[in-house]
Amino acid sequence: MGKFRSKLKRHNKGKTWSKGESAVSNPEQMKHRLKAKSRFFQPNLNLAESGSAKGLTMEAVHKHEQRLAYNTETTTVNDVAGSLKSFTFEDDDGMSGSGTATQPGTFKTFQTFASNYSSCSNVSFKKLLTGFRASSDLHKEMLAILSALTEIIRERGGSESSTEYFLLLISQIEAATEERDIIAGIALLSMGIKSVPAPVLRKRFDSTAATLQQLLQRFIESSNQSVIRYLIGCLSVLLRAQDYATWTYSSTFQYFDALLSFSIHSRPKIRKAAHHAVVSIIHGSCFMLPPTPVENDDANAEGVQKVQQPQASKIKHHPASGRVTKFCLAQFKPEVLANAQTTVLHTLTLLKDCLGGFRTEDIRSVCEHLLSIMTAANVLVRTNCFQALHALFLTRSANLNATLCAKLLAAIHEYRPDRSDIRQTLAWITVLKEGHMHLATLQLDLCMQALPRLFDVFTADLWLSDRSELVVGVSNCIKELLQDCVTRACTTQELADKYRQSVAKIIGALHKVLNAPFGEISKYVILIFSIVFEACGKHFGGELMSSLTTIGKRYESQTALRLQIEHTIISAIKSFGPELVLQALPLNDANGNVCLERSWLLPLMREGANGASLQFFKEHVVPLALNSQANWRKFSVEEKNNVKAHIYELLSCQLWGLFPGFCRHPRDPEYLRKLAPTLGDVLENNPEFRAAIYDGLMELLDDSQSTECHAAIGQYARNFLPRLFNIYTQKPTSTYEADQRKRVLDVIRQYIARAPAEVQAQLFENAQGLLAASAVASFEYDAYFDINAAIVRVQKCRGIETYFEKYMAPVLRNDKSKLVSRDEQKLKKQQRKTYELLRELMTSDQASCQKFTRKNSIMLQQILLEAFSTTCSVCQASRLHCLKSLLDCRTNLTFNDQLVMKAIPEAVLNYKEFSTRKEQIAEQLIKLIVNLYQEAGKINEFVDILTAGFTGDESLITNTILAFRAVLQQQGQHLTVSTLEFVLQQVSVFLVQKSRHQAEAAVAFLITFIKVMPIPLVANHLETIMRSLSAMTKDTKRYCRIQIGYFLKKLCKRFTTEELARFVPGDDEVTHRRLKKIRKQMRRDTRKKQNEEAQAESSDEELVGDLEQKSYTIDDILADSDSDLPEDMETEDGVATTKLAMSKSTSKSKQSRSTYIREDVDEIVDLADLKSIGNVLTSGSASAAPSKQSKLKPQLANGGFKTADDGRLIISDKALRGQGKNYDDNSDSDGDESSADSGHEPGGVNNPKRGMEEDSSDEEVLKQDPSTKRKRKASDALSMVSGKTGASTRKGIHRSLGGKSSDAMSVKSGGGGFSKAAGTEYSTKKAKGDMKQRGKLDPYAYIPLTRNTLNKRKRAINSRKFKSVVRGAGTDGTSTGGTARKSGGRVGKSYK
């Protein structure tokens, strides 16, 4: 019988359904859904394959035999990895251990479907075996031929080398009769010919080349493009392998001409293959490449190599360059330019890649023809010419000498496009930039002579453009020219004097832009000057002073250019030095006081000062600091003006803050003798300025300083160090003072190392006396102990021993001495300081410290081992460092040494605490000891010693697991299998315990285990690992969820999720869900990676609007040129691409592809003139090109009003009302055409408003000019789109008919051009309503389209209108006007 529940307690039982959510598809509680989803009630797991084989197979038996084919007691992990080499799961990371060497040129690491039919092990045919498609007839033929050739080679006892396959394939191709066999053989030959040795290809050149040429002639008319491409590739490899002497034969050029003929083929794939073949021959022939030592057993091959190596360094151009030149120039004939521009473009593409390998004479003739055809009106031809010239300069070819390069650059200057043509202009300046950079590498004086002309064009014209793309492109070109060309001319004083005139012209041109008013380019101009200061500031300070002054005057704290100006000023300070900068921008006024408006310079001076003068600081900066300090005292004490006092306080601190900058590699370190007294007084009397003095001293004591600077600062150690000692012994009263006190100790450590030996000895003696006189563990004692610790590091071995015996050994042994504190807390602090000092002495690089460690190693070992029980826990890290230093200094250390045996438990006990990211001393010590055991062959004994830690408490067990992890990582390959299995079982036991730290350590061990162990060995223990992982408690599993997730990801990369899920219990839903999520994420990452790689190959980097990146490359600038191909250049292979591009383009983009010619009214455009290049504009500047059609209105005299005889304007009300009408009447047809072109109707030229009855199509709206767009006004809410007007509430055809209220549906009228509203032809003045007219539709507006029709609340009301229409149609249109008006369905007058 069911239970009855009280309705009174219903509100206490669980959650109730919210309103409207009683049947939601995604409820919050999904307990039963999750169980069903994970197959909770089924024994099989959800990730396992349902159709997987369950029976015993030969493969499973083979794997089982391999796993059990070794003795676990004696076999190591390395032995297992070698024996299980062929037994591999999917190992993505290649962690399968070390492998044995295979035969050269062969391998057997891939296993595919095709491998079952062919046992070929040559690397050249891997692509076929891995990418085999059973649906391809060609692949089947290739596989059959490859299998047959492999069997032949093995029957003859061959090694399956590339030479054997090459010879057999040639024989097979020559003997084959069927076309499909020939094609398959050619495809295999194209794969294997690349790895054939060059001597073999030279030996078989004649017969092989003749065969390939015959095949080319046979398949030239074939529809199969792949065969021609394979043949072209084979012939290219064959020609590249020939030596220089072979190219003197006419037959060789005959084969090369065959390749050239395909370079203008109509099919893109064949043409590209021919291009690649020609370019690879020109640049990649064996004698064109740099000589490399080749080891070959064949004596004849060595002889050939020896002959070729000396000649390779002398050959700069290919002997076939003349043939390419002759072929290309033949395509530039006038008839070809006029009728086959496609061929010209293909030829230019070929020249772009191989022009750098031509002879100088060929380059000259090619460049002359390129310049001649650049005058053509076809923008694509000019674009490709720019690309070819840019590629020539970019190769930095020595064949283009300096004289020819200079003449070519001068000629390119004459082909300058118009500034409004952005794309062509960017290409032009990019070509010139690369040309000047190449000229600078060849002959710097010619480059410096040509640069001022280019900079004049940049600064006087192009930089002042209002197009941001052009401004950025010009700025980046200037930046690269300054860095690569001008910097070379300013490296030394001699070069600077030689090129002073040219550099001065460049600076002057840039300065003119700086003086001129500018807006958008201001950021780029200022940043360019930072590069100018870096390049020329060292030797052109006088010429740049005016520019620096101008930039400094533009500085404002709130300006948008503040960061750019600060960066430029810092560059000037680094180049000029603070002296010249302060001369251009003085800090003091006429009265000698600090100019507050220039205080922004002070932090910049500190950051940028380098190589300054200490004398300048003493004579100019120190007086300003003292003056500001005096004013600070004056306003704070006498006048009680806190605001001014605070200002001068900041000025004083900032002026003294310049001292570190002046100490950075000073030019006059000897002047320190005059500055030292002032610094000493400031240290004693002005605590607020001490921080700057500390920073300055650290700069002077730095290792990067010169020896003269170190000697100068060392002379005043006797004066500075006692003052620093006194400051350090003062007890701080705030955190700021405590931080400064630590800074003082750092200065003392650095300074004492630079002090003379006698000063060090004297200070050490005085410091020991002060330490002995102070109370133990007091503040003074700790301060003097730190000072002694800083000094003792630089003492001799005898001094270190004395100090150790007197002050350190009693503390380490915890003796009952006056020097050892009785308080426990103070004793811990004292021991910590002592151990840290001992660690510094034992790990120091000083010769005296190393001698002390070696000499007293036995005593130190005894003290450290005896002090183990009396040492506090905070000293363990330093103790471990000391033990490691003792182990390192022992030369004949063995694994069973007493120090080693004592260090093992100490390292394990402190492993987790001192093996963090900051300090891994315990791990380092464990690895050092395990290496000792491995060298002695006792690695398993060390494991037995560590195993004792499993019997300890929780902390010891955790540390033991982590220590085993270090052993596994360091020497895991030498462990025996039984030892490894034992450790893994122990770790698996602690993995399922309730301790969080043990579980975390166990997971870390498993992660290392699967990383370093071979995949087969991991697979052998995969079941144990996965079941232990599933058996973890909920608390530990949640605590280690991040580590477990990382562990599962690593496993999924080495095995499949199905294999892992097979060992997970069915009730472990969490692990199953994580495995499924990981599988999805891995597939998602794979797809994402593939997409990114595909995008990376096809996408280009975009330039951001700053000078951080390089400028446009020529391919970036002209990237969209390929999309501008005319229709006659499309081929059948490019149909898909063309259709895709056309689907994305619009009518506007198609129109923008046109080429525009800018004409002048008074002159006729002569396209044969060089100046006409500026008049041929591309699509990028069509909008900016002024044309006759873009003129909307002519300028009328006196605004179109009449004038009287005395000059007065006659303005009447009629003229005002009809001004637009009169203008339209007086305008000629050109005005109508211009109005139509601009997107306006003729009647709406001067109409200030537009009607809102938008009945025109979307295309007409898109064609309207953007200038006609406006925001919706408040009056538009009452427009006729909504069914209401401001003057009347009538609907339909009874709306108001104002010509000025609507122009969307206007038509041209014969009069003034006013538009007529729709329906006006039915209106009449004799009666109300509309009238029927013959030959026209009835003037009915049944249902007016209003916004109310879309209102859901008025749906019922609107539906009645349709009912009335149907009812009216049923009564034959006899309803009365009143009924029609009520229903809203008829006009105001009924007809019969």
Side-chain angles (χ1 to χ4, degrees), residues 464-515:
L464 304 180
S465 173
D466 55 349
R467 301 292 295 272
S468 60
E469 302 94 335
L470 185 57
V471 172
V472 173
V474 172
S475 302
N476 285 312
C477 285
I478 294 176
K479 169 191 172 184
E480 295 180 34
L481 288 173
L482 288 172
Q483 291 177 341
D484 295 340
C485 301
V486 180
T487 305
R488 295 185 181 184
C490 303
T491 52
T492 62
Q493 185 64 41
E494 297 178 359
L495 290 176
D497 295 337
K498 181 179 179 181
Y499 304 115
R500 183 169 296 277
Q501 184 177 1
S502 300
V503 177
K505 289 182 181 179
I506 294 173
I507 295 174
L510 294 174
H511 184 71
K512 290 179 182 178
V513 186
L514 189 62
N515 287 332

Side-chain angles (χ1 to χ4, degrees), residues 1076-1092:
K1076 292 179 65 176
K1077 185 177 180 181
I1078 291 171
R1079 181 180 61 183
K1080 292 180 180 179
Q1081 185 64 35
M1082 290 177 64
R1083 292 177 178 176
R1084 190 181 299 115
D1085 293 342
T1086 303
R1087 292 193 300 267
K1088 183 179 179 182
K1089 185 178 179 180
Q1090 293 174 353
N1091 294 335
E1092 289 177 353

Side-chain angles (χ1 to χ4, degrees), residues 964-972 980 1005 1008-1009 1012-1013:
F964 270 117
R965 173 174 171 266
V967 174
L968 190 66
Q969 190 173 4
Q970 185 71 15
Q971 296 292 342
L980 189 63
F1005 175 84
T1008 305
F1009 177 79
V1012 302
M1013 289 293 107

Side-chain angles (χ1 to χ4, degrees), residues 41 59 95 173 182 202 247 333 346 420-421 489 492 520 645 656 667 978 1123 1178 1202 1209 1215:
F41 298 102
E59 184 180 2
M95 304 295 292
I173 292 172
I182 298 176
R202 294 171 193 159
W247 286 94
K333 294 180 180 180
H346 296 334
S420 60
D421 195 345
T492 62
E520 288 295 329
W656 276 110
R667 295 199 306 266
S978 60
S1123 62
T1178 60
K1202 297 180 180 180
L1209 296 176

Side-chain angles (χ1 to χ4, degrees), residues 207-414:
S207 59
T208 305
T211 303
L212 294 177
Q213 189 175 22
Q214 293 175 2
L215 292 173
L216 272 176
Q217 294 174 357
R218 176 177 178 178
F219 292 102
I220 192 171
E221 300 296 336
S222 175
S223 60
N224 191 350
Q225 302 182 53
S226 301
V227 187
I228 304 177
R229 289 166 52 204
Y230 295 151
L231 290 171
I232 291 174
C234 294
L235 192 56
S236 171
V237 175
L238 192 63
L239 289 174
R240 286 203 307 265
Q242 305 310 309
D243 54 5
Y244 191 83
T246 309
W247 286 94
T248 59
Y249 306 137
S250 59
S251 59
T252 308
F253 289 107
Q254 182 181 359
Y255 302 136
F256 184 74
D257 291 339
L259 292 179
L260 274 177
S261 62
F262 287 99
S263 63
I264 55 174
H265 200 274
S266 60
R267 295 184 177 181
K269 293 184 178 180
I270 298 177
R271 184 175 63 251
K272 291 178 181 179
H275 281 189
H276 176 73
V278 173
V279 173
S280 60
I281 291 172
I282 294 296
H283 294 291
S285 295
C286 59
F287 51 85
M288 295 293 293
L289 298 176
T292 54
V294 178
E295 295 182 1
N296 198 332
D297 296 335
D298 192 356
N300 295 330
E302 288 183 359
V304 173
Q305 187 69 20
K306 289 179 181 178
V307 173
Q308 291 298 327
Q309 280 187 1
Q311 196 176 5
S313 60
K314 298 179 182 179
I315 298 175
K316 301 298 182 183
H317 58 83
H318 200 278
S321 62
R323 307 287 278 207
V324 183
T325 304
K326 184 179 179 181
F327 174 81
C328 293
L329 296 186
Q331 313 304 322
F332 295 157
K333 294 180 180 180
E335 57 271 16
V336 180
L337 284 172
N339 302 322
Q341 294 184 354
T342 303
T343 304
V344 178
L345 295 178
H346 296 334
T347 307
L348 291 174
T349 304
L350 175 63
L351 282 175
K352 180 180 67 173
D353 295 328
C354 62
L355 189 56
F358 288 3
R359 295 181 303 170
T360 304
E361 295 79 8
D362 295 335
I363 292 177
R364 179 184 290 108
S365 59
V366 169
C367 291
E368 289 174 356
H369 282 75
L370 289 179
L371 294 175
S372 65
I373 66 175
M374 282 177 65
T375 58
N378 192 339
V379 179
L380 290 175
V381 174
R382 193 193 316 167
T383 295
N384 282 270
C385 290
F386 277 139
Q387 287 180 332
L389 294 173
H390 179 268
L392 173 63
F393 293 134
L394 195 61
T395 55
R396 302 291 189 265
S397 175
N399 299 326
L400 179 62
N401 55 38
T403 305
L404 180 58
C405 183
K407 292 181 180 179
L408 183 58
L409 289 175
I412 295 175
H413 268 283
E414 303 299 330

Side-chain angles (χ1 to χ4, degrees), residues 496-570:
D497 295 337
K498 181 179 179 181
Y499 304 115
R500 183 169 296 277
Q501 184 177 1
S502 300
V503 177
K505 289 182 181 179
I506 294 173
I507 295 174
L510 294 174
H511 184 71
K512 290 179 182 178
V513 186
L514 189 62
N515 287 332
F518 53 84
E520 288 295 329
I521 65 171
S522 57
K523 175 176 67 174
Y524 302 103
V525 175
I526 293 174
L527 288 175
I528 285 297
F529 264 97
S530 68
I531 302 172
V532 174
F533 291 149
E534 293 175 359
C536 316
K538 196 171 184 180
H539 305 292
F540 291 87
E543 288 83 353
L544 292 171
M545 289 293 288
S546 58
S547 302
L548 179 60
T549 305
T550 304
I551 294 174
K553 290 180 181 179
R554 293 182 182 272
Y555 182 86
E556 294 180 6
S557 59
Q558 301 298 328
T559 184
L561 303 174
R562 180 178 62 84
L563 295 178
Q564 287 80 6
I565 294 176
E566 289 180 355
H567 175 72
T568 304
I569 295 296
I570 291 175

